[in-house]
Amino acid sequence: MGFKCGIVGLPNVGKSTLFNALTKTAAAQAANYPFCTIEPNTGEVAVPDPRMAALAKIAGSKEIIPTRISFVDIAGLVRGASKGEGLGNQFLANIREVDAVVHVLRCFEDDDITHVEGRIDPVADADTIETELMLADLESLERRVDQIRKRATGKDKEALAVLPVMEASLKLLQDGKPVRSLLNELDAEDVKILKGLNLLTSKPVLYVCNVAEGDAAKGNAQTVKVAAMAAEQSAGTVIISAAIEAEVAQLDAEEAEMFLSEMGLEEAGLDRLIRAGYELLDLITYFTVGPKETRAWTIRRGTKAPAAAGVIHTDFERGFIRAFTIAYDDFIAFKGETGAKEAGKARDEGKEYVVQDGDVIHFRFNT
């Protein structure tokens, strides 16, 4: 199960620098954080999770295999992309293929790097891209809605279910608002319908403020504006200096830690970005632990045990019997499976169990 975050932004905001640092860091940490290039502009990186080392130490695992998430470096957008300007058509097509949008905003001054709009205003930059995405969605819905209305008039069940969601989305776009603001108002079935429409502005967004080195620890006036905008949209923000991350990517672990400490940073911004992207997609991690390996597995929040088992292998889901489960805190507190059993903290869960973040699970199944 692959999850992709598309990195977007106007030209010259530091998007590709960030992507290159992201992938180089992953490659440099190959022993613990594997990286592989899936296609020219896609990098798959490990999700940093300190819980794994603690689990592996208790279990005596020979190997640690973290869970991973993909980042896609999408071509820079310019005003008019919804009408095909620049690489607009390619840009829009690439966004349709990702699960979430990581929007890089320029929050630094540099006379040597020209801004495509001739000014430094990250909120206006965000509005430019959001407007192009809304225009593309508006055109897409207007093209489809008449046909759905005709089918609904004929009492077509699928059309009757889809039409209210489509019309609500259309009204939002006509009012200049992204479709994702509708998500909190819909029930589970309507959310599925909305996602099925594959609208660009229905995807969750994370704003990344690319700042100068001196602003990496605390941000600046521009990042404050972005944070206010994100709060209004219920979106997340991460402050990163792409210049710092590019330097860190070239260092070994000890040198990187020293460098970050000198800059007043507790950890690499890319680690925060990776985790934020993971959270943006509403993903959680469960673990399988043993002498051979401690391994992390990615599922969406709310996934039941059989479907979680299916992430390992489809046979596990098909022949699911039960899930022998220990919460992470209990596994650590009682020093492993045996201690957790003796303390009554290990349990067998059935088909209706909703897997929790950090669960240590051993699946029992029939082949």
Side-chain angles (χ1 to χ4, degrees), residues 211-219 239 241 244 263-266 272:
V211 299
E213 291 189 14
D215 294 327
K218 297 182 179 179
I239 297 173
S241 169
I244 288 177
M263 299 298 297
L265 301 170
E266 294 182 3
R272 287 184 283 112

Side-chain angles (χ1 to χ4, degrees), residues 58-80:
I58 290 172
S61 303
K62 294 179 180 178
E63 189 174 6
I64 293 176
I65 304 176
T67 190
R68 295 174 295 179
I69 188 171
S70 294
F71 286 87
V72 185
D73 183 19
I74 295 175
L77 175 145
V78 295
R79 194 181 300 277

Side-chain angles (χ1 to χ4, degrees), residues 153-173:
T153 301
K155 304 302 181 185
D156 180 281
K157 286 185 178 180
E158 182 182 353
L160 286 168
V162 170
L163 185 59
V165 178
M166 190 175 278
E167 288 184 329
S169 300
L170 193 58
K171 185 176 187 311
L172 269 177
L173 292 166

